[in-house]
Amino acid sequence: MVIGAGFIGIEMSDELKKTGKNVTLIELQANVLPLAFDPDVASEAEIILKERGIKVLTGHGVQEIVGEECVEAIKIVRGDKLETLKADAVILSMGYEPSVDLARDLENIAFNRDGFIKVDEYMRTDHADVFAVGDCAEKRDFFTRKRSKAMLASIACAEARVAGMNLYKLSTLKTIGGTIAIFSTALNGTGFGAAGLTETVARKEGFDIIVGKFEGVDRHPGMLNNPHKQIVKLIAGRENGIILGGEVMGGSSAGELINIVGLIIQNRMNVNMLMTAQIGTHPMLTASPAAYPLIKAAEVIAKEFWNN
Amino acid sequence: MVIGAGFIGIEMSDELKKTGKNVTLIELQANVLPLAFDPDVASEAEIILKERGIKVLTGHGVQEIVGEECVEAIKIVRGDKLETLKADAVILSMGYEPSVDLARDLENIAFNRDGFIKVDEYMRTDHADVFAVGDCAEKRDFFTRKRSKAMLASIACAEARVAGMNLYKLSTLKTIGGTIAIFSTALNGTGFGAAGLTETVARKEGFDIIVGKFEGVDRHPGMLNNPHKQIVKLIAGRENGIILGGEVMGGSSAGELINIVGLIIQNRMNVNMLMTAQIGTHPMLTASPAAYPLIKAAEVIAKEFWNN
């Protein structure tokens, strides 16, 4: 029984299933990976989980974990409907909090409302000579400028590099201008990645956006080279075509493909720049140059962009 | 017998070997892939070819192909030493020329000294209303501005997009500012990629450069996740740290990894921007966030850059 279908929850479910366990994954939101992905891309991950034999119960809340000495069952609820499921063990993967005990012992350290240590773009805390980086340090979203709760090793490493480069003298260049959470995960050979804003978040935050999506394969010609389905979804501002976010699904190259999207965002590239961008392709390594999903998704956006 | 160890030559050799043929690959230059890669990275490809059982003879010229009705032998030469090798067939993969017959029938079409159709940055020829894209169309190198002879499907597609976007009215934005040849290839599961200037070409063209190279693995932790060795080599201008080129070796994600380098070049990112760049990582899909070879190679450059 795994509660919470974020990255930890789905990866844990997948690994447990590999060992032969019966696994049920319970998620309160309407789909798995509800924070990092839009429902249309997340549903692809849900299909894989189900194909692997994992029971996925989205839209279900957990009311109670039942048992005295050890777990016996959990009570889940959907609307008015209460159900009791037998369980031998429960894994809670429902969220995380920054670990800031070390900082609490220091004077003059400020924390933000989410409990993260407040830092500036050089990763300096309010305490002179103390820097904070990683999961404990405050992050601001690259676009919305809101506080972000993303906790990723890759973000921690980027922050650590910035802190290191500003330890002895400040640099006006080497700063974190805002966090672009770049996620990736893999399920049974299928890679998923997300960077920047999802369509859901972008709309919620008030951006007027255009969405482009393209589905292809990650080899060419597909019938020869054992291809994997590849999906790229891009989110662009309607005003200027600047890419605000992207989601990808594909084979093992999906991890680097989402890093391409991450760089596109960091360079504030717009859809025109992307349409004229030069890429390299090879039958055994990438999609076809004429159907490279990243560029094709940009074309879908451009079509709507130019029609306005 | 394959003459010429560029991409066509090495891929053809590899495919022929798969069918059980005895294959000898002959190359005049000192190493395989002599134009796209520096010797240090190309030597990794040569090792794979040799491990596959292909006989690789670099530094050898071909003096004569012997045979009446069909090929019987070829005479190869290295310095003063002439050798005759028996051969059943010879594949020539020693170069290519633009195919421009169609254009020759038109009036007012100009060609450059290499035989390519002259085009401007909108892909227009000198003939009103005629655009040219792809292998037949003139290209200029992104950095050196010299005529480039790169012929790649991916370049053709980028040019076609630019031509399409300028067919009815010219855009000041949607142009080809210069060709970054982005190559990739795969040999027995190992991917190789190159983008922009090699160290050899950059030095020859007169750039004062710093080179950074890092070797890691494309999964983490490596011992768990069936990793592939990954090498990233970056070439940066000493004056400003701007990335001029890169070469990568790795597993199947190498094709997208070199596209990251391609975007870094197109955005004229410098080593400082790269050092603070945010990337995403996952154990099954990428190198570790603390040892991501692209950033580590940038660190090697930065170390020398800051010391000057």
Side-chain angles (χ1 to χ4, degrees), chain B residues 93-106:
Chain B
S93 49
M94 301 152 49
Y96 40 78
E97 286 194 351
S99 168
V100 293
D101 289 349
L102 193 64
R104 293 214 181 276
D105 294 340
L106 288 173

Side-chain angles (χ1 to χ4, degrees), chain A residues 11 154 161 174 178 180 182 184 252 256 259-260 263 266-267 269 272 275 277-280 282 292 306, chain B residues 11 154 161 165 174 178 180 182 184 252 256 259-260 263 266-267 269 272 275 277-280 282 292:
Chain A
E11 293 184 4
S154 51
R161 284 190 294 271
K174 297 155 205 158
I180 301 167
I182 308 174
S184 54
S252 61
E256 300 301 357
N259 279 329
I260 297 180
L263 272 187
Q266 284 165 83
N267 283 292
M269 289 177 79
N272 287 334
M275 299 257 297
Q278 297 170 54
I279 46 118
H282 188 272
Y292 188 72
W306 296 340
Chain B
E11 292 184 4
S154 51
R161 284 190 294 271
M165 291 186 281
K174 297 155 204 158
I180 300 167
I182 308 174
S184 53
S252 61
E256 300 300 359
N259 279 329
I260 297 180
L263 272 186
Q266 284 165 83
N267 283 293
M269 289 176 79
N272 286 336
M275 299 258 298
Q278 297 171 56
I279 47 119
H282 188 272
Y292 189 71

Side-chain angles (χ1 to χ4, degrees), chain B residues 111-116 118 138 147:
Chain B
F111 299 87
N112 75 15
R113 278 187 283 167
D114 298 324
F116 292 80
K118 280 182 94 73
E138 179 178 61
R147 294 191 306 278

Side-chain angles (χ1 to χ4, degrees), chain A residues 13-58:
Chain A
S13 297
D14 194 46
E15 292 302 323
L16 287 170
K17 189 69 204 175
K18 282 184 198 167
T19 69
K21 302 260 188 301
N22 284 322
V23 182
T24 302
L25 175 60
I26 300 162
E27 169 58 49
L28 185 61
Q29 303 295 321
N31 50 274
V32 302
L33 297 171
L35 298 180
F37 290 88
D38 289 315
D40 56 336
V41 180
S43 67
E44 302 278 345
E46 193 168 323
I47 289 168
I48 294 173
L49 290 166
K50 286 177 175 169
E51 280 171 357
R52 299 276 271 176
I54 295 161
K55 195 170 170 187
V56 182
L57 298 175
T58 52

Side-chain angles (χ1 to χ4, degrees), chain A residues 34-272:
Chain A
L35 298 180
F37 290 88
D38 289 315
D40 56 336
V41 180
S43 67
E44 302 278 345
E46 193 168 323
I47 289 168
I48 294 173
L49 290 166
K50 286 177 175 169
E51 280 171 357
R52 299 276 271 176
I54 295 161
K55 195 170 170 187
V56 182
L57 298 175
T58 52
H60 283 78
V62 172
Q63 198 186 56
E64 191 184 345
I65 297 173
V66 185
E68 300 276 314
E69 302 244 316
C70 49
V71 173
E72 287 165 17
I74 71 170
K75 291 186 183 173
I76 60 171
V77 61
R78 177 176 202 166
D80 294 339
K81 205 182 142 206
L82 186 73
E83 205 178 339
T84 302
L85 304 176
K86 280 198 178 176
D88 299 318
V90 171
I91 290 169
L92 303 177
S93 48
M94 302 152 49
Y96 40 80
E97 286 194 349
S99 168
V100 293
D101 289 350
L102 193 64
R104 293 214 182 278
D105 295 339
L106 288 173
E107 277 174 38
N108 302 324
I109 293 269
F111 299 87
N112 76 15
R113 277 187 284 166
D114 298 322
F116 291 79
I117 300 167
K118 280 182 95 70
V119 290
D120 61 18
E121 61 186 337
Y122 305 102
M123 310 312 298
R124 293 182 302 181
T125 69
D126 281 1
H127 186 299
D129 305 328
V130 176
F131 288 67
V133 302
D135 291 354
C136 65
E138 178 178 60
K139 291 147 215 344
R140 295 233 164 229
D141 184 86
F142 189 77
F143 287 113
T144 68
R145 312 306 302 169
K146 286 193 172 177
R147 294 190 307 278
S148 159
K149 294 187 77 171
M151 288 187 184
L152 293 167
S154 51
I155 295 176
C157 286
E159 292 176 350
R161 284 190 294 271
V162 167
M165 292 186 280
N166 287 285
L167 275 182
Y168 300 109
K169 55 180 181 186
L170 293 190
S171 162
T172 51
L173 290 173
K174 297 155 205 158
T175 61
I176 293 276
T179 297
I180 301 167
I182 308 174
F183 298 99
S184 54
T185 189
L187 286 174
N188 195 25
T190 298
F192 289 86
L197 304 182
T198 59
E199 179 182 0
T200 314
V201 171
R203 292 197 196 282
K204 201 185 84 185
E205 294 293 337
F207 290 95
D208 187 9
I209 57 169
I210 304 176
V211 175
K213 193 173 168 184
F214 188 83
E215 188 174 321
V217 291
D218 67 352
R219 300 283 182 272
H220 67 281
M223 57 184 179
L224 281 184
N225 289 314
N226 190 26
H228 196 293
K229 184 164 86 165
Q230 194 175 58
I231 298 174
V232 174
K233 175 175 179 174
L234 292 175
I235 292 97
R238 185 179 296 274
E239 169 198 23
N240 49 27
I242 285 177
I243 304 296
L244 305 174
E247 291 158 64
V248 309
M249 189 199 93
S252 61
S253 64
E256 300 301 357
L257 187 58
I258 199 62
N259 279 329
I260 297 180
V261 178
L263 272 187
I264 288 168
I265 295 169
Q266 284 165 83
N267 283 292
R268 297 188 188 272
M269 289 177 79
N270 65 30
V271 72
N272 287 334

